[in-house]
Every structure is written in C-alpha cells, then in structure tokens.
C-alpha cells in the first residue's frame, strides 16, 4: 500500500521495506532479504545527506545479509565504512559490537589474519570490562591466532603465538571478572587455538574441579 500511495523514497516506505527484509531473515529467505536491503540502501544514498544515520544503519543491515549467503567478502567494505563512521550523531552505538563481531567472522571466512587482528583490536578498544566482553576479547584473539597459524609466511608462527598469548590473557581476565562457564569454554570452537595449552587446561580445570 505504501509503495502505491507514497513516493518510492518516502521514509515510511523504506521503513516497511526494512521490516519486511527482517521478516525474510527470520523466515530463512536470505535472498529476498538481501534484495530489499540493497534497494533501500541505494535509495537512501541517493536522497539522504552523506553519512545519514539511516544510511549507515542500512549499510549494517545489508552487510548482515551477505554472510547468510556465504558472500563474506562483500560484507567487508560495508562494515568498514559503517565502523569508520559509527561515531556520527544518531547512529545506534549498540550496533558497533555486532559490526565488529561480524567483521571478525568475515575476515575469518576469507582467511585474512590481518583483518581478524584489526577486528580484535577494535573490540579491545571498546574497553569493556564485564566478564562477557572480556571473554569475547579472548575469542577474537584466539580466532586470529587460528587463522594466522594456517597462513603462509615467515612470521606466521610468531604472530599466531602472540595472538594466542593475548587471547589467554583476556580469558584469564574474564575468569577473574566472574566468567564461570567451563562447559562452554570446552566446547567453544572460537577457542580452538588455545585448546592444547597447559594454561588453558589449568584454567578450565580450576573452573570445573573434578570434571
């Protein structure tokens, strides 16, 4: 109805398109969600001021659709632009952690350790000290270490070790801050780079004695 009675670039029409795209995501229809999100972003780039918060949110939304279709590389330019401008007035700061996590995942999928590392650094710069955020910092570094370890290069082993050491340091801080889910730590594939370390095994054992 809105497309019939309102201009094609009317904010209410774009809002409905965004809502419908989200419904397609929930219904596991990612191709249809992607198409709508591409249309919304193209319209907003044409009619809104540069760096408008609605446009930046649409960049985030569109980036979120690409991993569902195994098109991780296409999400990265959108995420990088969103994160570069996320301090603009009107941008929802709650999107920033999700964008960083998505960025890490995409760089992991394309086997880019440098991209993973800068994502980990972005997370660390959020300076969140709660147990969950410290645990996420550990995961970011551990993922980076795993990607780095399988990347050719003279410095690969050294860099992977450095990232694994930093991951372990963050994980220790998380436990000190109150993180207690040893079962999750044992199963979390993000921590695979730490799995064989004696300090990791000891930390898990201390959280779950006798198990």
């Amino acid at each position: 109805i809105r497309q019939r009675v309102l201009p094609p670039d009317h904010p209410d029409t774009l809002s409905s398109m965004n809502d419908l795209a989200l419904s397609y995501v929930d219904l596991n229809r990612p191709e249809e969600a992607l198409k709508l999100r591409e249309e919304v972003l193209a319209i907003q780039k044409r009619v809104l001021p540069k760096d408008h918060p609605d446009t930046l949110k649409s960049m985030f939304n569109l980036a979120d659709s690409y991993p569902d279709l195994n098109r991780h590389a296409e999400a990265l330019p959108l995420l990088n632009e969103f994160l570069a401008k996320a301090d603009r007035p009107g941008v929802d700061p709650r999107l920033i952690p999700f964008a960083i996590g998505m960025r890490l995942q995409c760089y992991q999928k394309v086997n880019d350790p440098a991209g993973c590392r800068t994502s980990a650094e972005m997370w660390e710069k959020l300076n969140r000290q709660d147990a969950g955020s410290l645990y996420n910092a550990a995961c970011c570094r551990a993922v980076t270490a795993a990607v780095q370890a399988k990347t050719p290069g003279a410095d690969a082993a050294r860099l992977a070790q450095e990232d694994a050491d930093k991951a372990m340091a963050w994980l220790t801080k998380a436990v000190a801050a109150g993180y207690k889910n040893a079962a999750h730590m044992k199963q979390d594939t993000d921590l695979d780079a730490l799995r064989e370390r004696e300090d990791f095994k000891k930390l898990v054992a201390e959280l779950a004695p006798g198990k």
Side-chain angles (χ1 to χ4, degrees):
I1 293 170
R2 282 179 167 172
Q3 286 181 327
R4 186 176 71 246
V5 303
L6 296 174
D9 56 4
H10 193 281
D12 288 347
T13 303
L14 298 178
S15 176
S16 290
M17 292 170 73
N18 273 321
D19 290 343
L20 180 56
L22 184 58
S23 295
Y24 283 141
V25 171
D26 290 340
L27 292 168
N28 196 28
R29 293 162 65 176
E31 294 89 353
E32 291 161 286
L34 178 69
K35 182 176 182 296
L36 274 175
R37 287 173 168 176
E38 287 176 334
E39 291 175 6
V40 169
L41 181 58
I43 293 170
Q44 288 174 328
K45 282 186 171 182
R46 188 176 72 247
V47 303
L48 294 177
K50 184 180 180 181
D51 300 343
H52 192 283
D54 288 349
T55 304
L56 294 174
K57 184 176 181 180
S58 291
M59 287 181 186
F60 172 87
N61 289 339
L62 179 55
D64 191 37
S65 280
Y66 283 123
D68 291 336
L69 297 165
N70 281 325
R71 294 165 62 177
H72 298 87
E74 292 172 79
L76 286 167
L78 292 165
L79 290 169
N80 288 333
E81 185 171 356
F82 170 81
L83 287 166
K85 300 174 179 177
D87 60 348
R88 301 293 196 276
V91 177
D92 187 350
R94 294 173 297 179
L95 297 178
I96 296 174
F98 292 104
I100 294 173
M102 199 189 316
R103 185 182 191 270
L104 176 79
Q105 178 196 46
C106 290
Y107 276 118
Q108 179 187 18
K109 291 293 185 179
V110 300
N111 295 312
D112 185 334
C116 291
R117 189 169 295 110
T118 56
S119 300
E121 290 167 354
M122 287 179 179
W123 184 270
E124 291 161 2
K125 287 177 182 176
L126 294 177
N127 197 30
R128 296 185 168 193
Q129 299 301 311
D130 61 284
S133 294
L134 292 168
Y135 181 85
N136 287 338
C139 289
C140 288
R141 284 291 179 175
V143 166
T144 302
V147 174
Q148 182 68 71
K150 62 183 181 181
T151 302
D155 291 334
R158 176 182 62 80
L159 292 170
Q161 184 65 48
E162 289 176 358
D163 285 312
D165 289 344
K166 289 178 181 178
M168 198 63 223
W170 285 114
L171 193 59
T172 302
K173 289 181 180 180
V175 171
Y179 190 87
K180 299 179 180 179
N181 195 339
H184 181 71
M185 286 171 59
K186 289 180 180 180
Q187 299 172 1
D188 191 347
T189 57
D190 284 349
L191 299 178
D192 281 351
L194 309 180
R195 197 72 56 202
E196 300 305 316
R197 291 176 60 122
E198 292 304 318
D199 50 359
F200 177 81
K201 294 176 183 178
K202 180 180 178 182
L203 189 63
V204 172
E206 289 173 350
L207 282 178
K211 296 182 180 180

